[in-house]
Amino acid sequence: MGNKLRVVTQMASDPYYVYHFLAFFSYFIVRTSVTSLLSPRITHRLFHREIQAILAFSVLIVIKMVKEETRESFIAESLFFAKVFLVAISSIMDYHLALVYIVVFSVIYILTQQPPFEGLGTSSKLTPLQLEALLTEGNTSRYWLVEFRTSCSSPCIRASRCLPELSITYSNKNLSFGIVDLGLFPNAAEKFGISVSASMGHLPTFILFENAAEVKRFPEFKFEEKSSHPPVTKKLLSRHFELDQLLLEYVNGK
C-alpha cells in the first residue's frame, strides 16, 4: 500500500505526468465547449468514434498489461496509444485542434522526460573510476553485472527497473550489480565500446565482468549493424547472463 501511494504521489508531482494529465483533461473541456457548435451529424459521428477509441484503448491496455514487464514500459506504451487516439478523435471536430495537440505533445516531449525507476535494489550507482577500482582490486565480487545507461534515453528508462530487481534476487558474495550513468560520464562510453548515439541501439548496455575481464554483454556487438535488438526484460537478462547458473555455483560453493 505504501509503495502504491509513493507511486501515485510521484506521478502527481512529476512534470511529465502532470503535463500529460492537463493535455488529456483539456479534451473534455474543449468537447463540452464546442458540442453546441457542432452539427448533429458530426456530434453523432464523434460520439461513435469516442466509444470505438475507448474500446480499442482498453483492449490495447489489457494486452500491454500481459506483455510488458516493467511499469515504465507499460506507462510509455499506454500514453503513446492515448495520444494517438486523442489526436485522431480531435481531428473529427477540427483538424486545427488535432494539430494543436500534436504541437502540445511535441513540446511536452522536448521539455520533460519520463522518470526512470528510482529504486536501486542491491545494485550500486558507480562512477567509472569506482567501477575500475572494484574490478581491479580483486577483493570484491568475482562477478559484476553492470548496466551502462543515460537518463535521457527512452529504452534506458523503460528498462531501468530490470537490473535493480534482478539484484534483489541474484546478489551474493560472488555476484554484484552496478549502474554507470554515461550521461554524467560520456568519456567512459568509448572505453567500454558503447555508442551513446540512439541510432546505434547500444543503450542500455549490460556487461558481465569476471575478475576485471569482460565475459559477456547485451546487446552483443553483432547488433551493432542493426538499429534494434530484443527489448530488455528481466527474463532476457537472466537467461543471457546465465544468472541462475551463477547463483547455483555460489550455493554449491564453486
Side-chain angles (χ1 to χ4, degrees):
M1 183 67 178
N3 183 52
K4 291 182 178 180
L5 181 61
R6 181 179 61 80
V7 172
V8 172
T9 302
Q10 178 192 11
M11 295 182 68
S13 59
D14 191 280
Y16 178 81
Y17 297 117
V18 172
Y19 293 159
H20 275 93
F21 171 78
L22 293 175
F24 290 123
F25 183 74
S26 69
Y27 174 79
F28 297 101
I29 299 176
V30 174
R31 176 76 161 82
T32 304
S33 303
V34 305
T35 298
S36 60
L37 303 176
L38 300 176
S39 66
R41 183 180 64 83
I42 294 180
T43 301
H44 181 74
R45 181 187 175 196
L46 179 61
F47 177 74
H48 279 276
R49 290 292 183 266
E50 287 172 338
I51 296 299
Q52 290 174 348
I54 291 173
L55 292 176
F57 182 72
S58 300
V59 171
L60 287 171
I61 288 297
V62 172
I63 294 174
K64 290 300 177 181
M65 287 180 67
V66 175
K67 293 181 62 177
E68 298 293 348
E69 184 165 327
T70 69
R71 182 186 298 125
E72 290 71 26
S73 184
F74 172 73
I75 291 174
E77 294 289 341
S78 299
L79 286 177
F80 172 76
F81 288 123
K83 286 183 277 192
V84 170
F85 285 127
L86 181 60
V87 171
I89 292 174
S90 300
S91 65
I92 297 175
M93 284 190 283
D94 190 328
Y95 76 91
H96 292 97
L97 178 61
L99 290 176
V100 168
Y101 276 118
I102 291 175
V103 172
V104 168
F105 289 131
S106 299
V107 171
I108 292 175
Y109 176 79
I110 293 172
L111 296 180
T112 65
Q113 188 74 36
Q114 181 181 357
F117 177 64
E118 295 183 348
L120 286 176
T122 60
S123 59
S124 305
K125 284 188 176 181
L126 304 171
T127 68
L129 288 178
Q130 288 173 328
L131 175 60
E132 185 176 357
L134 289 170
L135 294 177
T136 56
E137 282 176 359
N139 57 356
T140 60
S141 297
R142 174 183 175 186
Y143 296 98
W144 273 90
L145 180 55
V146 183
E147 176 184 2
F148 297 85
R149 63 163 75 157
T150 66
S151 58
C152 60
S153 165
S154 178
C156 291
I157 292 171
R158 295 186 179 202
S160 59
R161 181 181 296 266
C162 294
L163 190 95
E165 293 190 349
L166 284 174
S167 71
I168 296 174
T169 303
Y170 293 101
S171 285
N172 55 64
K173 292 181 179 180
N174 280 346
L175 175 61
S176 296
F177 294 76
I179 299 170
V180 176
D181 190 338
L182 295 180
L184 299 176
F185 309 100
N187 293 334
E190 184 177 356
K191 178 179 179 180
F192 293 99
I194 302 171
S195 172
V196 295
S197 172
S199 61
M200 296 299 293
H202 284 193
L203 296 176
T205 288
F206 300 83
I207 301 179
L208 179 66
F209 297 94
E210 180 182 8
N211 296 327
E214 178 179 331
V215 177
K216 190 179 291 187
R217 72 165 57 200
F218 181 87
E220 297 176 312
F221 284 119
K222 65 181 180 180
F223 286 111
E224 194 165 315
E225 297 179 358
K226 303 179 182 180
S227 59
S228 62
H229 53 73
V232 176
T233 65
K234 289 186 291 184
K235 183 182 295 186
L236 182 147
L237 293 177
S238 177
R239 183 175 62 250
H240 184 80
F241 292 107
E242 300 178 322
L243 297 184
D244 289 320
Q245 181 63 33
L246 294 180
L247 182 60
L248 284 175
E249 289 180 1
Y250 169 70
V251 172
N252 294 329
K254 293 184 180 179

